């Protein structure tokens, strides 16, 4: 492994993988990821081998076990586990991820518009038209507190939404 590869953050590596795979169809993406995991001898990846087409599931049991056990989970895995139903909920997922789950070099207590752009892209979630307005709306909804100019910190309401309420209907199924 080159020193250039070692010096990248997890987020940078994820961005590069996403960029490399975006031009491929779903099946080709799955094949490329599987081949890369085999080549790199990566085992135990939370993947059932099913495509994420909405009807086949995404191996949610493995994902829940990885977050419950305190393992590092990427933003896309967290998004798939929590299934946010709106951009505001997704902003809460990003805030929760950056405060509680992200690798040490990416952790932060407050998020800004550029974080929305970066982590929505990594998670494969549609970008909002106005990133700054999204955070203002999320604050108005009671999920974030102001943490300086253009910065917002997930508060207890936002934390509880992600930690205990999403995905919606999860408690009803139990």
């Amino acid at each position: 492994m080159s020193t250039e590869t070692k010096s990248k953050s997890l987020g940078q590596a994820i961005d590069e993988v996403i960029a490399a795979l975006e031009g491929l169809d779903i099946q080709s993406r799955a094949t490329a990821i599987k081949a890369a995991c085999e080549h790199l001898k990566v085992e135990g990846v939370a993947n059932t081998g099913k495509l994420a087409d909405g009807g086949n599931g995404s191996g949610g049991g493995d994902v829940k076990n990885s977050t419950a056990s305190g393992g590092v989970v990427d933003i896309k895995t967290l998004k798939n586990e929590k299934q946010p139903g709106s951009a505001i909920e997704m902003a809460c997922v990003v805030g929760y991820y950056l405060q509680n789950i992200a690798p040490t070099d990416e952790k932060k207590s407050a998020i800004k518009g550029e974080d929305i752009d970066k982590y929505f892209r990594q998670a494969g979630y549609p970008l909002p038209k106005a990133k700054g307005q999204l955070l203002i709306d999320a604050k108005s909804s009671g999920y974030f507190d102001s943490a300086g100019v253009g910065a917002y910190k997930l508060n207890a309401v936002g934390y509880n939404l992600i930690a205990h309420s999403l995905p919606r209907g999860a408690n009803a199924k139990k």
Side-chain angles (χ1 to χ4, degrees), residues 3-23:
T3 55
E4 179 183 332
T5 304
K6 288 183 182 177
S7 65
K8 290 180 185 168
S9 72
L10 176 61
Q12 290 169 326
I14 292 169
D15 287 341
E16 288 182 15
V17 170
I18 290 170
L21 297 174
E22 276 183 326

Side-chain angles (χ1 to χ4, degrees), residues 28-69:
S28 297
R29 288 177 186 174
T31 301
I33 291 169
K34 182 178 178 187
C37 289
E38 288 173 3
H39 175 77
L40 296 170
K41 296 178 177 48
V42 175
E43 296 179 15
V45 176
N47 183 356
T48 63
K50 297 177 183 176
L51 298 178
D53 64 358
N56 290 333
S58 63
D62 293 335
V63 174
K64 290 180 191 325
N65 290 341
S66 63
T67 54
S69 65

Side-chain angles (χ1 to χ4, degrees), residues 23-104:
L24 300 175
D25 62 83
I26 297 284
Q27 188 63 46
S28 297
R29 288 177 186 174
T31 301
I33 291 169
K34 182 178 178 187
C37 289
E38 288 173 3
H39 175 77
L40 296 170
K41 296 178 177 48
V42 175
E43 296 179 15
V45 176
N47 183 356
T48 63
K50 297 177 183 176
L51 298 178
D53 64 358
N56 290 333
S58 63
D62 293 335
V63 174
K64 290 180 191 325
N65 290 341
S66 63
T67 54
S69 65
V72 174
V73 173
D74 62 83
I75 187 70
K76 188 166 192 168
T77 302
L78 183 63
K79 184 240 353 173
N80 290 340
E81 176 185 332
K82 296 301 179 177
Q83 302 171 13
S86 68
I88 289 176
E89 288 182 356
M90 183 61 197
C92 293
V93 169
V94 171
Y96 181 91
Y97 173 78
L98 291 173
Q99 285 180 9
N100 300 292
I101 299 175
T104 305

